[in-house]
Amino acid sequence: MNDSPRAAENAPSINSKLAADADANTFIEIQFPVSKLSKESYKERKANYSQTLTGLGKWSGRKPLIMVRATILGLLMPASDDPQKDREIFLKVLTMDEVGLWRRKRKSISLRDIHARLSDAERRSWFDADANPERPGLISGLTRVQKDELQRLVFDRLSYDGKLVYYDRPEQIDGPSEQAWIEINAHLNTHANNLPELVRELGMRRFGHAPRVGDAFCGGGSVPFEAARMGCEAYGSDLNPVGALLTWGALNIVGGGEEVAKPVRAAQKKVCEAVDRQVTEWGIEHNAQDWRADAYLYCTETICPECGWKIPLAPSWVIGEKTHTIARLEADEQNRCFHIEIHEGVPKEELADARGRGTVRSSRLECPHCRNSTPINVIRGDRRGDGVKTYGLRLWENEDVTPRPDDVFQERLYCIRWVETWIDDAGTPHRKRHYRAPDAADLEREQKVLTLLQERFADWQARGYIPSRRIEPGDKTDEPIRTRGWTHWHHLFTPRQLLVHGLIIEDVFEESAGDAAKVSGLFIAGRCADWDSRLARWIADATKENGAQTFSNQALNTLSNFYGRPLSLLTTTILAPIESSRLFGGALVATSDAREVEDDSDIWVTDPPYADAINYHELSEFFLAWYEKHLPGLFPDWHTDSKRALAIRGSGRDFRQGMVDAYRNLASHMPDNGLQVVMFTHQDASVWADLALILWAAGLRVTAAWTIATETESALKEGNYVQGTVLMVLRKQMAGETAFLDEIVPQVEIEVEAQLASMLKLEDKDDPNFSDADYQLAAYAAALRVLTQYKGIQELDVNYELASERKRGQTSPIEKIIEDAVKTASNFLVPKGIDKPLWRRLSAEEKFYLKALEVESHGDYRSGVFQEFARGFGVREYDDLLHSGKANQTRLKTASEFKRKGLGGDGFAATLLRQVLFAVFRVAEREETKEGMTWLKTEIADYWAQRENIVDLARYLSGLPMPHWARDVAAARLLAGAVENDHV
């Protein structure tokens, strides 16, 4: 299969104006609208399966397209001497300005919301005089133009967050208005009418040709796809063929426009219909009442070593919180086992009881018969001897698709959800779901499925319709081998899953015409495998009763109970929406090691596996097992294994050297004025120090860094995980100067303060662009900008630092410089409401507490931000100051929550601020100032000298906007007034 060729180049000679622009600073090196881009990225993430590329299949590291678009534009757009105008134009191009947002508006604001946001006078002009605020009515006779005017009036008053729900994503409209293009061209001295024209013109000015953008770790394909859609010549490569395949699909199926997407959709529909006919003919998904299966719930079973009973395993016997459906274990004394009864609509008490009667808890069997608890690893027979751990389960052979009778873990179908459909006398269709325990006929159908599979098994494996590949041991792939004895990838699927999935793929490759349809068939196989395996969890919460993906986390965790999808549910997986888009630049995809890439790019945008806990090289083999026998015919130049031995991974010496080799190679394949952006997801001084050494050794220097929030709200609620992507901007290291460490330190301090001052100058008070975390990040970037501008530092041996394995607690010289930069930033960023002279006199603990209060006031409760400020102020222990340390719920104690705790000790307990907090507590407790004033005068020896500082601190506390501070805010206001009016 041939990839689409790069578009023909036109490279006229560069005149003096263009030559000057070729080396000029770019927009992204000076500023970046991180707040708005974070919100746009969040909106894109929240779109779930309506995102442009998600229909192709799973790739956890796929970056939001708006972030990629903004990054590439930011690298091409020159920075002028008018940063405010630059920002305005940048937002216009991305339709993120006020006019652009209105163009993107698709949903109407409800009359109720409009009514609530108007003044009384405005309501009288637009609404009936007696309008009910809950159901207001407009005055009669309004034209469509007038109604649009009313919508615009209220839309413009909404915050950026408030507007999010009403508008489309930038990629879903045709770009800025004609008037906007006039303003854009006037500022940039261009002649574009659309984004691809602008991109190519800016590329010509900077590089002499249409810009070439490459990604040597392309994964899900966001960077090459968006680059080609913007008009760049795109290159994508990945050592992993699963990533390369997704990228090819993005460029050639999604990017092929309707002429490709339409026949692919038709092929998907044809496959679905053909498989449905066969499944119906076999009669393996319908019961005697002609109900159709909607979900199959399975559990494992094992023998309790204490009593010898066979125990079904599940962490809970709740099947549906919403429908109050449970499984109830009924003892069979004669056969020493349990029957499983299914009950719908049970009382709340019975639902709660089923929730607490799970037979597996904390990796232990909790026997419902003898009430003994046994570790699962003991049941497996794991043992340790002579320092070697041996796993006790029988290893399955290729032909095994179900457990053998003497295996430790058996498997049992314990519940089927059926769908009953009928049409009433009025012709109205109805659907009703029923949960039922399997009867004898259901178990006969399970046996029929097994027989049908066994008849096809060898042939289908030979043809690649079902996997035949062994599971290679590894950090993640050891899990199914160790915990279930599964040795081949097809062991992760039930006979029913293998039969239906194999039938789907057989139909794709025997009936589909055209490579795009066959590649789409591989994506169908991957999606079905992800959504329908023995590793797919059943979700029984109050909002939904369905199954999760295999890769709802980045592991291969085996389950005590799981669910399977019948074809009726797999239909939505087969028919996943294939979006269509148009590419304006050529593209090339390869399976290459980043260390061996030979194609040149003007810009490299990469998301490397830096200190990454996700083992893509192992997890991708789950999908590759379904693809491997089809890839050679479709992509004869590609390799068909994950090349895990060559993957750059981990965090040790070999990993660092691999990264140096990769980025040195990419630097050698870009021009002297080329640019790179490295995306990564860590904000830790040691990680930054390692990355700085890697990029520095590769011949690159840092020019800027920004953080874009890329995780959805649901991910944030689950814990303090990665919440943003750092974009580090780099250029080639062209200088030959060296410096001494003692020269670097003051330069870093100056650079940090200059960077923060420029950001504060650009800040919009009404619509803030930067968060507290962004200012911290700026300190990291400023430090690296100073360090990497030099060819070397006299006291620092880069190769030695890269090769050395640091011990826990050991700090490298670069890490020390970065930490000093963070301290500079922390001291520079005085909380609003605190005077600088007072700030300088405060202790580290007091600064941390006040700055953390400001972070809280901005609605930021991430523990990582608190940790960074603690590090910046040099505060080692601050747990006693926290009311909660939970991820994304971290906050400080209020004055009333402190009460007397910690008074009279060292550190924060000995500070003036702590005395003020206690005085505030006493005022709030007594609702008068006398005892608070008495405390201050008694405990603060130099009360009169400190009186103004006490007033300033109390005034700051009295301005806190957090609801949980309300009582203490009022008390602080009273205390500040009393101290201020206190005279000798």
Side-chain angles (χ1 to χ4, degrees):
M1 182 182 299
N2 294 322
D3 294 312
S4 53
R6 290 180 181 271
E9 298 173 6
N10 49 353
S13 60
I14 306 177
N15 61 31
S16 58
K17 173 68 171 74
L18 300 187
D21 283 348
D23 295 314
N25 281 330
T26 64
F27 178 83
I28 198 173
E29 292 176 292
I30 303 301
Q31 60 171 309
F32 211 47
V34 295
S35 176
K36 287 183 170 63
L37 281 171
S38 294
K39 291 165 185 174
E40 295 284 355
S41 294
Y42 170 79
K43 181 178 176 68
E44 184 177 328
R45 283 281 199 230
K46 202 173 182 183
N48 294 325
Y49 295 101
S50 69
Q51 294 179 66
T52 303
L53 299 183
T54 52
L56 296 175
K58 181 75 172 178
W59 189 266
S60 300
R62 190 181 276 131
K63 299 303 181 188
L65 295 175
I66 181 60
M67 185 176 78
V68 176
R69 178 178 293 198
T71 298
I72 294 173
L73 178 63
L75 291 165
L76 291 171
M77 184 173 144
S80 75
D81 56 3
D82 187 347
Q84 292 287 1
K85 187 65 177 179
D86 287 346
R87 175 182 169 82
E88 176 188 327
I89 294 301
F90 185 83
L91 293 175
K92 278 187 184 297
V93 175
L94 295 177
T95 61
M96 288 164 57
D97 62 321
E98 291 298 321
V99 175
L101 293 179
W102 177 249
R103 278 176 64 80
R104 289 159 56 190
K105 181 176 176 290
R106 287 295 177 271
K107 284 179 63 177
S108 292
I109 307 171
S110 70
L111 291 179
R112 178 181 172 181
D113 287 343
I114 289 174
H115 188 272
R117 292 180 178 276
L118 296 179
S119 66
D120 289 340
E122 288 169 331
R123 291 189 189 109
R124 289 192 291 272
S125 299
W126 292 100
F127 287 91
D128 292 334
D130 57 349
N132 179 354
E134 295 300 313
R135 300 184 65 182
L138 293 171
I139 59 175
S140 60
L142 291 179
T143 65
R144 167 53 57 190
V145 172
Q146 288 174 315
K147 290 177 180 177
D148 284 347
E149 179 186 342
L150 177 59
Q151 287 278 327
R152 181 67 183 269
L153 176 69
V154 174
F155 185 76
D156 285 347
R157 291 177 181 177
L158 297 175
S159 66
Y160 206 95
D161 299 82
K163 292 172 182 173
L164 275 175
V165 297
Y166 297 106
Y167 59 68
D168 284 343
R169 304 194 302 270
E171 61 181 301
Q172 295 174 306
I173 68 165
D174 59 2
S177 65
E178 289 185 18
Q179 178 58 41
W181 279 114
I182 293 173
E183 297 175 47
I184 292 165
N185 288 324
H187 181 69
L188 297 176
N189 192 26
T190 51
H191 307 83
N193 296 302
N194 53 53
L195 181 59
E197 288 181 7
L198 177 67
V199 163
R200 285 177 173 262
E201 195 167 343
L202 293 175
M204 284 291 301
R205 184 178 297 176
R206 187 167 288 275
F207 303 115
H209 50 249
R212 299 169 179 154
V213 176
D215 182 357
F217 301 94
C218 61
S222 294
V223 171
F225 173 78
E226 193 63 18
R229 192 160 63 161
M230 292 174 69
C232 303
E233 301 302 307
Y235 172 82
S237 69
D238 204 297
L239 183 64
N240 194 314
V242 175
L245 186 69
L246 286 167
T247 299
W248 190 94
L251 292 164
N252 294 276
I253 296 178
V254 177
E258 274 300 299
E259 57 267 32
V260 173
K262 188 174 180 180
V264 165
R265 294 189 200 108
Q268 289 177 337
K269 185 178 180 182
K270 184 179 177 183
V271 167
C272 209
E273 291 170 348
V275 175
D276 183 60
R277 284 194 299 270
Q278 183 62 78
V279 166
T280 303
E281 182 183 325
W282 281 337
I284 58 175
E285 288 191 1
H286 292 80
N287 65 10
Q289 295 130 292
D290 203 33
W291 296 355
R292 185 151 192 178
D294 191 50
Y296 293 97
L297 304 188
Y298 298 86
C299 68
T300 53
E301 285 189 311
T302 194
I303 302 297
C304 173
E306 301 293 334
C307 65
W309 276 52
K310 181 180 281 190
I311 310 300
L313 304 180
S316 165
W317 291 110
V318 173
I319 291 173
E321 294 272 358
K322 188 175 181 181
T323 58
H324 282 225
T325 302
I326 66 167
R328 184 185 297 152
L329 303 186
E330 295 294 336
D332 181 344
E333 296 286 346
Q334 181 177 352
N335 295 302
R336 296 168 67 83
C337 66
F338 287 88
H339 298 297
I340 302 178
E341 298 178 351
I342 305 301
H343 298 270
E344 297 178 297
V346 301
K348 288 182 180 179
E349 297 76 20
E350 199 168 345
L351 189 73
D353 183 62
R355 193 183 300 121
R357 286 187 178 271
T359 51
V360 178
R361 296 178 193 168
S362 304
S363 298
R364 300 180 71 90
L365 165 65
E366 304 293 337
C367 181
H369 177 257
C370 67
R371 305 300 177 186
N372 283 312
S373 177
T374 309
I376 294 294
N377 63 347
V378 171
I379 292 173
R380 289 198 304 257
D382 298 348
R383 58 192 181 277
R384 183 181 293 278
D386 298 327
V388 178
K389 191 167 186 178
T390 305
Y391 301 116
L393 295 179
R394 176 189 74 86
L395 298 181
W396 286 30
E397 296 178 10
N398 178 61
E399 292 73 19
D400 291 322
V401 292
T402 58
R404 294 182 186 178
D406 57 349
D407 279 340
V408 171
F409 294 109
Q410 297 297 303
E411 197 167 88
R412 175 177 181 175
L413 174 65
Y414 72 94
C415 181
I416 303 172
R417 185 172 68 188
W418 299 96
V419 173
E420 176 189 9
T421 58
W422 73 95
I423 298 175
D424 64 20
D425 294 339
T428 304
H430 296 271
R431 280 170 52 92
K432 185 176 181 180
R433 282 173 163 167
H434 307 274
Y435 288 97
R436 296 288 186 269
D439 58 21
D442 296 323
L443 298 180
E444 285 179 13
R445 278 186 283 274
E446 287 292 287
Q447 183 59 45
K448 182 176 182 178
V449 165
L450 179 59
T451 301
L452 288 167
L453 175 64
Q454 288 171 334
E455 291 170 354
R456 292 159 176 77
F457 185 79
D459 180 57
W460 276 6
Q461 276 200 329
R463 293 172 179 267
Y465 298 156
I466 59 177
S468 58
R469 174 183 286 220
R470 291 189 67 87
I471 302 173
E472 297 298 328
D475 291 340
K476 295 298 179 183
T477 49
D478 275 348
E479 180 83 355
I481 301 172
R482 176 176 60 85
T483 61
R484 288 293 183 272
W486 297 336
T487 58
H488 291 67
W489 286 106
H490 67 273
H491 294 154
L492 275 64
F493 302 88
T494 66
R496 182 177 290 277
Q497 291 165 340
L498 290 173
L499 180 66
V500 175
H501 296 192
L503 192 62
I504 292 167
I505 302 170
E506 179 185 44
D507 195 83
V508 167
F509 279 89
E510 292 192 1
E511 302 296 333
S512 294
D515 290 335
K518 289 179 179 178
V519 172
S520 176
L522 294 185
F523 293 143
I524 290 173
R527 291 196 300 269
C528 287
D530 186 26
W531 282 101
D532 190 34
S533 81
R534 280 180 164 125
L535 306 188
R537 293 179 298 110
W538 177 251
I539 302 172
D541 64 28
T543 57
K544 55 186 176 182
E545 296 172 11
N546 59 18
Q549 292 170 279
T550 297
F551 289 108
S552 55
N553 64 9
Q554 306 309 320
L556 293 168
N557 302 133
T558 56
L559 304 169
S560 56
N561 66 326
F562 60 93
Y563 97 115
R565 288 190 168 204
L567 183 65
S568 58
L569 277 188
L570 275 180
T571 297
T572 58
T573 308
I574 298 169
L575 299 177
I578 297 294
E579 300 290 332
S580 66
S581 195
R582 184 181 173 192
L583 306 186
F584 293 88
L588 178 67
V589 182
T591 49
S592 297
D593 190 325
R595 292 163 287 196
E596 297 176 356
V597 165
E598 295 181 354
D599 281 66
D600 292 338
S601 288
D602 305 306
I603 293 169
W604 290 101
V605 180
T606 53
D607 181 9
Y610 188 77
D612 206 332
I614 301 177
N615 293 306
Y616 290 110
H617 53 288
E618 292 183 19
L619 299 181
S620 66
E621 292 169 4
F622 173 91
F623 298 104
L624 199 55
W626 292 88
Y627 302 162
E628 63 174 338
K629 292 189 177 177
H630 306 289
L631 286 176
L634 294 168
F635 302 96
D637 295 332
W638 289 14
H639 54 256
T640 59
D641 64 87
S642 66
K643 299 287 185 183
R644 63 159 78 176
L646 298 176
I648 300 174
R649 62 188 189 276
S651 57
R653 178 174 56 193
D654 292 342
F655 164 76
R656 291 194 291 267
Q657 189 56 55
M659 287 280 284
V660 170
D661 293 342
Y663 279 95
R664 181 180 289 137
N665 183 50
L666 297 186
S668 71
H669 284 89
M670 75 179 193
D672 289 347
N673 69 328
L675 294 142
Q676 290 202 37
V677 168
V678 175
M679 300 178 178
F680 67 106
T681 50
H682 297 270
Q683 191 162 327
D684 178 86
S686 62
V687 172
W688 276 73
D690 273 357
L691 189 57
L693 283 169
I694 287 165
L695 298 172
W696 200 1
L700 296 164
R701 61 184 174 89
V702 177
T703 61
W706 310 101
T707 300
I708 306 300
T710 51
E711 298 305 321
T712 61
E713 190 176 59
S714 60
L716 297 185
K717 286 179 179 177
E718 291 173 5
N720 190 49
Y721 306 124
V722 171
Q723 297 169 357
T725 297
V726 177
L727 310 178
M728 184 182 288
V729 187
L730 304 131
R731 286 179 179 260
K732 273 189 176 181
Q733 172 58 260
M734 305 296 287
E737 303 143 357
T738 60
F740 291 92
L741 274 175
D742 59 358
E743 296 175 326
I744 295 288
V745 174
Q747 290 180 42
V748 167
E749 185 173 342
I750 292 168
E751 186 70 16
V752 168
E753 292 189 356
Q755 174 71 54
L756 298 178
S758 67
M759 292 170 68
L760 289 167
K761 186 177 180 181
L762 287 168
E763 191 61 287
D764 185 337
K765 292 181 181 179
D766 298 324
D767 186 11
N769 184 46
F770 305 113
S771 70
D772 298 288
D774 293 316
Y775 288 106
Q776 292 174 318
L777 175 63
Y780 285 74
L784 297 192
R785 194 157 54 239
V786 171
L787 281 166
T788 59
Q789 71 180 317
Y790 296 105
K791 188 71 175 177
I793 294 177
Q794 289 290 348
E795 301 95 325
L796 186 67
D797 184 334
V798 173
N799 292 324
Y800 171 80
E801 291 290 336
L802 283 169
S804 63
E805 296 290 352
R806 282 189 292 278
K807 298 176 182 177
R808 182 181 294 273
Q810 186 178 355
T811 303
S812 71
I814 290 184
E815 190 176 345
K816 180 65 168 60
I817 289 172
I818 292 172
E819 288 177 346
D820 287 343
V822 174
K823 290 179 182 178
T824 299
S826 298
N827 283 296
F828 183 85
L829 296 168
V830 181
K832 292 176 182 176
I834 299 290
D835 291 334
K836 287 184 179 180
L838 171 60
W839 183 250
R840 285 194 291 268
R841 291 193 295 270
L842 295 175
S843 69
E845 290 82 4
E846 288 173 303
K847 288 179 179 178
F848 168 74
Y849 186 88
L850 294 171
K851 189 62 187 178
L853 281 179
E854 185 175 55
V855 169
E856 278 188 53
S857 73
H858 297 156
D860 197 339
Y861 297 96
R862 292 174 294 165
S863 61
V865 178
F866 284 71
Q867 290 166 7
E868 281 298 304
F869 275 114
R871 188 180 294 121
F873 292 119
V875 177
R876 294 185 178 278
E877 297 293 335
Y878 60 94
D879 287 351
D880 288 346
L881 308 187
L882 297 179
H883 175 265
S884 170
K886 293 181 180 179
N888 302 301
Q889 299 176 36
T890 304
R891 73 165 177 84
L892 299 168
K893 291 176 182 174
T894 65
S896 292
E897 289 166 345
F898 269 119
K899 296 185 170 60
R900 289 183 173 275
K901 188 175 180 180
L903 285 172
D906 297 325
F908 186 69
T911 64
L912 177 66
L913 177 58
R914 181 65 188 94
Q915 304 302 330
V916 172
L917 286 167
F918 183 73
V920 168
F921 159 61
R922 295 309 297 267
V923 172
E925 185 180 43
R926 304 297 183 186
E927 296 185 350
E928 52 86 25
T929 62
K930 182 179 178 181
E931 288 198 22
M933 291 290 293
T934 300
W935 174 265
L936 292 174
K937 290 182 176 181
T938 302
E939 297 300 320
I940 301 175
D942 54 347
Y943 167 80
W944 294 106
Q946 294 276 22
R947 192 167 64 93
E948 288 187 13
N949 295 334
I950 295 169
V951 171
D952 289 345
L953 292 173
R955 290 269 183 238
Y956 179 77
L957 297 175
S958 72
L960 295 174
M962 296 86 80
H964 57 275
W965 267 89
R967 184 164 174 257
D968 288 339
V969 160
R973 189 177 300 116
L974 290 174
L975 181 66
V979 175
E980 190 172 35
N981 292 315
D982 190 22
H983 300 288
V984 178

